[in-house]
Amino acid sequence: MRGFHPALAVFAPLPLAERLFVRARLFSAPLEAMADRAVGTRLLDVGCGHGVLTALLAVGFPERQVVGIDPDARKIDWARRSVGTFQNVQLEATGVDALAARAPGQFDTVFVADVLYLLPPPRWPAFLSACRALLVESGRLVLKEAEDDGSWRAKKTLWQERVMVKVLGRTQQSGAVGFEPRQTLSRALEEAGFSIRESASMTRGYTTPHVIFVAECA
């Protein structure tokens, strides 16, 4: 059943509110589908939050080295108390640009789940360029966002995220909370030097218009 992945057991030490948040995160987003698209053994989870995707990538895969970064020190603290106890996981409260400046070309796959919608589109080129700089020459980017497809799902999700960011403070924004059409997301990836290999809708069973991109360094 979605939302009951064995990897969730690593979050047992967290308070109830955080465990429920983690479970809801896995239930509401196709993070397992993202993890299934990993290649290589050096993986980076950008905007890892509590570490749900990090756990999916690391738990049961001791041959992998998984790094999770997030600018929100609160969430990194929760992640360190749970999935961060695994020897093949490293967590850091930092941004992708700072990591790219000191560790370029270090990862086989970079994962980005629901980060662009918190950034104003003019900041996307620098963000995506930093992701590309972190990849090996034949590296892969796996990116998931909610797309503005004009549906009720998009309107519902936008309202929900604004509550999470502006009212509850569960997510830190970086100047914006909004969704863009898939064509805009595709163009941003291509302009950042990526070649898109897959663009897959993930809406069945969800109330959010998820889309997953798999892209490689062009």
Side-chain angles (χ1 to χ4, degrees):
M1 183 181 298
R2 201 174 73 232
F4 292 91
H5 193 281
L8 286 179
V10 304
F11 298 98
L14 300 187
L16 177 60
E18 304 309 321
R19 296 200 308 272
L20 292 175
F21 181 85
V22 164
R23 190 174 295 279
R25 175 68 172 144
L26 182 56
F27 183 82
S28 63
L31 301 183
E32 292 179 67
M34 293 186 70
D36 288 343
R37 288 161 168 78
V39 295
T41 58
R42 296 172 296 170
L43 313 177
L44 173 66
D45 182 6
V46 177
C48 66
H50 286 62
V52 184
L53 178 55
T54 302
L56 296 177
L57 295 169
V59 177
F61 299 96
E63 73 282 4
R64 292 176 174 175
Q65 293 298 314
V66 184
V67 176
I69 63 171
D70 198 293
D72 190 338
R74 302 170 304 167
K75 292 185 177 181
I76 288 294
D77 182 55
W78 294 127
R80 283 174 175 156
R81 298 186 196 187
S82 52
V83 68
T85 60
F86 281 70
Q87 291 187 348
N88 64 333
V89 173
Q90 177 185 343
L91 299 163
E92 185 177 351
T94 190
V96 67
D97 51 347
L99 183 62
R102 68 175 190 271
Q106 295 298 307
F107 298 96
D108 300 308
T109 307
V110 170
F111 295 85
V112 180
D114 300 315
V115 174
L116 290 184
Y117 84 100
L118 296 168
L119 297 173
R123 292 181 58 185
W124 289 8
F127 177 89
L128 292 172
S129 293
C131 290
R132 189 178 187 279
L134 285 160
L135 287 165
V136 297
E137 185 175 348
S138 58
R140 167 178 290 190
L141 174 71
V142 180
L143 180 142
K144 189 204 79 65
E145 287 290 326
E147 63 174 323
D148 182 3
D149 59 359
S151 68
W152 66 268
R153 287 185 174 91
K155 295 179 176 64
K156 182 278 303 178
T157 304
L158 182 58
W159 174 85
Q160 174 182 297
E161 290 302 323
R162 284 175 174 167
V163 170
M164 293 291 285
V165 171
K166 298 179 181 295
V167 178
L168 300 180
R170 295 293 304 191
T171 303
Q172 289 186 353
Q173 68 171 358
S174 298
V177 180
F179 304 130
E180 297 290 339
R182 188 181 308 196
Q183 295 88 340
T184 301
L185 294 164
S186 297
R187 185 166 58 251
L189 287 169
E190 291 168 349
E191 290 176 351
F194 287 102
S195 176
I196 298 172
R197 301 303 183 194
E198 180 186 6
S199 173
S201 295
M202 295 282 172
T203 56
R204 185 172 183 178
Y206 295 102
T207 60
T208 296
H210 300 293
V211 58
I212 290 180
F213 292 93
V214 176
E216 298 174 354
C217 299

